[in-house]
Amino acid sequence: MAGPAQKTKFSIELLAAKHDRTAFFCGVESLDVYLQKQAGQDFKKHAAVSFVLTPNGTEIAGYYTLSQYSVQLESLSQEVAKKLPKYPMVPTTLIGRLAVSTVYRGRGLGEMLLMDALYRIFRHSKEVASAGTIVDAIDNAAIAFYRKYGFLELPTVPGRLFLPMGTIENLFK
């Protein structure tokens, strides 16, 4: 018999009709509402793809979204920009949203979601070019979270951070 200390086995899947979006609550209204009302529409319109972390195939413990994106080369720090192609716009991948349900906080699931997203971005960068990953951190706690993983703040947009593909590649060598 499994005891209470047994770890839950989670899987990360594409958001589907079987997932209970209405029960998800992370405490940030914009993130909750996005998953509940907008994520499916964005998928149908090819604007964003949502991935959910689930313990049982229906409950959502967390989620993130991915989209193609680009940034102006001049918006990056000089240190980062000098390592990239000298095009006015640099192709990137956007982690548009990343959230963990309040029920599952404190279990390292944010890191699990981020690492899954970065691994997908890394794999796909071999077929669809991406010089790195962009996130728009929602608050100072989110900025601190991303900085732990090497994200660099963009000097021109408050709360926007960038992780170069070389750094992502090094994570998975």
Side-chain angles (χ1 to χ4, degrees):
M1 179 159 66
Q6 181 180 0
K7 290 195 174 201
T8 304
K9 183 171 170 95
F10 291 93
S11 63
I12 297 178
E13 309 169 353
L14 275 171
L15 177 64
K18 68 178 184 172
H19 298 115
D20 184 7
R21 292 184 283 167
T22 60
F24 182 81
F25 178 75
C26 73
V28 178
E29 184 178 9
S30 63
L31 295 172
D32 295 338
V33 170
Y34 177 83
L35 181 65
Q36 294 162 1
K37 298 185 177 186
Q38 187 66 39
Q41 294 174 37
D42 278 359
F43 180 76
K44 288 177 190 170
K45 294 177 181 178
H46 304 282
V49 176
S50 297
F51 294 89
V52 297
L53 180 68
T54 178
N56 56 20
T58 57
E59 182 183 8
I60 299 174
Y63 79 98
Y64 67 86
T65 65
L66 296 179
S67 302
Q68 289 300 310
Y69 199 71
S70 62
V71 295
Q72 293 182 330
L73 184 64
E74 64 189 32
S75 71
L76 301 171
S77 71
Q78 288 184 355
E79 181 183 331
V80 171
K82 71 182 179 186
K83 298 175 186 174
L84 297 174
K86 303 304 176 232
Y87 298 120
M89 299 299 288
V90 178
T92 63
T93 305
L94 174 70
I95 300 175
R97 289 161 180 81
L98 189 149
V100 175
S101 166
T102 56
V103 173
Y104 289 96
R105 292 253 169 86
R107 299 186 191 188
L109 299 185
E111 178 179 39
M112 182 185 296
L113 286 164
L114 179 60
M115 289 301 117
D116 187 79
L118 292 176
Y119 185 67
R120 284 180 201 275
I121 292 165
F122 169 66
R123 279 193 352 249
H124 293 291
S125 73
K126 304 210 180 295
E127 295 178 10
V128 178
S130 180
T133 299
I134 292 286
V135 297
D136 286 320
I138 202 161
D139 57 25
N140 287 336
I143 290 171
F145 171 78
Y146 289 115
R147 287 182 59 95
K148 283 190 320 190
Y149 299 98
F151 280 81
L152 308 166
E153 291 185 66
L154 297 186
T156 58
V157 182
R160 181 165 288 169
L161 295 97
F162 176 77
L163 188 64
M165 189 55 66
T167 303
I168 297 169
E169 188 173 8
N170 287 336
L171 287 171
F172 302 109
K173 280 188 174 180

